[in-house]
Amino acid sequence: QITYTSLNAVFNDGCFCCVCVCLCADGNECTKASAQSCGECIQAGEKCGWCIDKDFLKQGEQKSTRCDEIEALIKKGCSEASIENPRGTVSVNKNQSLTDRTKDGVKLKPDQITQIQPQKLTLNLRSGEAQTFNLIFKRAEDYPIDLYYLMDLSYSMKDDLENVKNLGTDLMAEMQKITSDFRIGFGSFVEKTVMPYISTTPAKLLNPCTSDQNCTSPFSYKNVLSLTSQGSQFNNLVSKQQISGNLDSPEGGFDAIMQVAVCPNQIGWRNVTRLLVFSTDAGFHFAGDGKLGGIVLPNDGKCHLQDNMYTMSHYYDYPSIAHLVQKLSENNIQTIFAVTEEFQPVYQELKNLIPKSAVGTLSSDSGNVIKLIIDAYNSLSSEIILENSRLPEGVSISYISHCKNGVSDKGENGRKCSNISIGDQVMFEVAITAKGCPSNGKSETIKIKPQGFTEEVEIVLNFICECACHKEGIPNSPVCHFGNGTLECGACRCNEGRIGRVCECSKDEVRTDDLDANCRMDNGTDICNNNGDCVCGACECKKRDNPEERYSGKFCECDNFNCDRSNNKLCGGHGRCECRKCICEANYTGSACDCSLDTSTCLASNKQICNGRGTCECGTCKCTDLKFQGPTCEICPTCPGVCTEHKDCVQCQAFGTGEKKDTCKEQCNKFILVKKKKKEELPQPNDQPYINHCKERDANDCWFFFTYATKNDSTVEVHVAEELECPSGPDIIPIVAGVVAGIVLIGLALLLIWKLLMIIHDRREFAKFEKEKMNARWDAGENPIYKSAVTTVVNPKYEGK
């Protein structure tokens, strides 16, 4: 299938034809599969069917021709009852109704609460066909919660420990507002007990802090208090905890998280909402960092708690982030990272890698830890995210969410719904599709569950790998060449080493000269006309890229695509091609079915075939009168128009003038004349069909108006207006007055222009004169070259006495 956009893009790239063929070839996955049995056919795609009619195949067609799209098989002559086309199904095996914590006044146990429906399904999957079902989730009210507080007890967390000592009872009181069934536990961690993470000198092993500080020995992880409903017990045990210390800045928190996740019995996890609060003011070590201490064995992800202490920290490396994600998800643990503002960006990135986790900013002394936990829990519980277990190879799954307020989404966002409150119900539409027949037809089981919840939906996948007729197969059937195959679904499924339509040939005998001779029409032709392969002395015709095109015949000498074409269409689009000849539809004839027998296209406006001046051939007029042309022989370029042709007769009948006024009665009796007063009273174009409006000039240069119309009974009717339009003579006085006025005005304008130019010229001359006058003023002074004859000499010693 080719969309407009793809065609446009391909055309612009200049390779339209090439790509178009490829797209068409990919369109039919059924014929492309070359299926040799019904089972192979239905695995090729959801649209594929197999024809079991034993007489379906024509001479030269392969067994794989039985496999095609349903519509194509019906067109080829296979009845719907003879087509094997199994479909997939969805069965619900367990479908308990959604419940709240309390039912009929009785508080249910955690394992009796149902928040997701249905709980178990069985899907029968046909290759390529998606099976869809709905999952409904509803948050139950008063759902139990287990919270484990995992705290960093390195020296920098000393002031935080003081505030956490009273956390049990305070947090218990706050969580009572959310659930009546709340349990809390406590664990602590520091670092691996090897260099260079801690100092291994004897003194530092006893007290890693400075001499004036009393600290406990360093440890990797310690389960201080398993989950309990006694908040006071939490306070008592936590108040006895002491700070420890280590050398490097990052801590070994990942070791502790792994043990909390994989030791459910020691921690005391129930199948309820599980929360892990991870409190620290530093970064973390992860897989590979253990090499610094000579630890190279990867973390095994198993529980190693003895007397509530992690004993293998010196033996196994830190877990990787992906390993943690896997274990936390398997054990339905939701993580809350309570970290200081300095490390907020680091743990924010970690949160993006760990599903169903949250990050809260811890104050410098952990004073806001309760509010942080409550806010993080509300954030986590208000979002529902579905996840599924690993899918078998070839199986895919997709989700469409239908959340609150009619909000829907698909793709990755189709897995989740946000802003879900207690009692809200949401629905997810799940579609599972298989490609081929995974696991060799064996059943597979997958599970879908909301992240952070223990409830899950179990889905059993059964794969449809064979047709129903496969069970009715006849082994070693005589039809299959003396029992060399199993007759099933209308065709022979050959035994190992046998081939052919009826398994008539061994693979060792496929190519021999004697067998090839049976595949030639005569000695001068190619084997199977080069359109097929000779298999066991019989031609099996090749398949074309276009599934609609095929070879046929005993020697593959026929095809349905090499017939004559018209308008670039096979058989003109009005017939079918059989063995390179067009079989035309009823109203068409010709070698390319391009000759229409319908004469409606030849009717002229007067309802005559070709206007009576030609013959209708293949729906087109062939004009016999050479003066006429056009699709219906109505155009005559050399003929006078209707108006000009009848001008003289109309003039003589209506006004008694014109060239035919003396012979009017003899020559002008071919139409009926109707007189009207004015031209406005003449018939309009919509009054009757085939009307012509005419405007002609008489000998006095007056215009007269008439209409010419042919009625349905072939009579001609002419309407003429008695009122003429004659040109009036020119009005002399205005013309003369206008000419005189124009001459006077032009003269005045010329005088004004001349006067203006003279004024400008005079002003320029006067300005020039004034300028020259100013420059000549030095003539009134002394002559610079004049020298007086008198010389006056002053005695410098003369004092005027």
Side-chain angles (χ1 to χ4, degrees), residues 117-158:
Q117 181 186 11
Q119 293 80 39
K120 185 175 181 179
L121 303 98
T122 299
L123 271 60
N124 295 318
L125 296 178
R126 160 81 185 271
S127 177
E129 180 187 21
Q131 295 303 317
T132 305
F133 56 91
N134 295 331
L135 294 182
I136 302 173
F137 183 87
K138 178 183 177 182
R139 279 189 62 191
E141 187 177 359
D142 195 26
Y143 195 72
I145 298 174
D146 284 353
L147 185 146
Y148 191 84
Y149 195 92
L150 182 59
M151 185 175 181
D152 177 8
L153 284 188
S154 59
Y155 187 76
S156 59
M157 293 286 286
K158 181 179 179 180

Side-chain angles (χ1 to χ4, degrees), residues 345-362:
V346 176
Y347 283 90
Q348 193 67 44
E349 291 296 326
L350 182 61
K351 168 200 172 284
N352 296 335
L353 300 175
I354 300 180
K356 208 67 173 172
S357 62
V359 177
T361 303
L362 193 66

Side-chain angles (χ1 to χ4, degrees), residues 232 289 341 420 537 548 598:
S232 58
D289 289 353
E341 187 173 1
I420 306 301
E548 299 297 326
D598 185 10

